[in-house]
Structure formats: structure tokens, C-alpha cells
Amino acid sequence: CDCAVIYTEEVYEHLVNKYLNESQRSGEFDVTAKLCTALNNIEHVRQYMEKLPGLLKWKWVACEVQLVHSDDLVGTKYLDTLNRLLATANREIDAKCTSVIHQIGDK
């Protein structure tokens, strides 16, 4: 999840510096294919990230953790933590994308 957030932050900084700040200097703004592709790539990463619980079998792993520790609470906390990390990453990615879209709208 952190990798997806870091990727989003890197792309966001690039978009802001390359397209949005440049448009302030020139007074012109163009929604380019590269800008749209960058936002689309971020969304693709976010969608893939949503598949992680199934791909990595989070529920199965949580059950195994419960068995190893002989404690149902440990497995539940494990799964809750993973889901919370995923939700937090999603919020951060959505916030960056929303920020870019609002800045484009302001132009």
C-alpha cells in the first residue's frame, strides 16, 4: 500500500511541477494526453491495490495467525490492521487525484 501511495505522490509532484505550475507561468493550460495517462495510471495502481486482500489471501493468513497464536483476537487485529492500511492508502491516493482534478478545473 505504501508503494502505491509513494508512486501517487511522485506522479502528483511531477504533474504539479510539469503541467500545473508551468501553466501559471505561461498563462495557458492544456489537458494533454500525458496528464490524462498519468491520472489513469494512478487509478490503475489503486484498482490493483484493491485486489491485494484476495491476491495475498489476507483472511486465510489471519486465520493462520489465529492458529499459531491460539488467540482469535490476534487474527482479527491483524486483518483489521491490513484493511485499515488499505483504506488509508486509498484515501491518500484519492486526495491527490482530487487535488489535481480541482487544480485543472481552476485553470
Side-chain angles (χ1 to χ4, degrees):
C1 295
D2 282 346
C3 289
V5 172
I6 291 167
Y7 172 77
T8 300
E9 289 171 353
E10 290 294 318
V11 172
Y12 173 82
E13 291 301 320
H14 177 74
L15 291 175
V16 168
N17 292 330
K18 174 91 174 151
Y19 297 103
L20 301 174
N21 288 344
E22 191 175 294
S23 72
Q24 287 177 340
R25 287 188 292 275
S26 68
E28 295 180 13
F29 181 75
D30 243 355
V31 176
T32 66
K34 287 183 180 183
L35 180 69
C36 293
T37 300
L39 285 172
N40 189 54
N41 288 346
I42 291 171
E43 177 59 18
H44 181 73
V45 168
R46 193 195 62 74
Q47 287 177 2
Y48 184 78
M49 191 177 64
E50 285 292 316
K51 296 178 184 179
L52 288 178
L55 292 172
L56 299 177
K57 300 178 171 113
W58 286 2
K59 287 182 181 178
W60 177 81
V61 173
C63 288
E64 293 298 310
V65 168
Q66 283 176 319
L67 291 174
V68 168
H69 293 280
S70 301
D71 185 351
D72 290 348
L73 189 57
V74 172
T76 301
K77 285 183 178 182
Y78 173 85
L79 192 56
D80 288 347
T81 299
L82 290 174
N83 285 319
R84 190 173 54 255
L85 289 170
L86 183 62
T88 300
N90 260 319
R91 281 192 302 276
E92 290 180 30
I93 291 169
D94 285 343
K96 291 290 184 188
C97 289
T98 300
S99 175
V100 169
I101 291 167
H102 285 179
Q103 289 180 58
I104 291 169
D106 290 344
K107 304 291 177 193

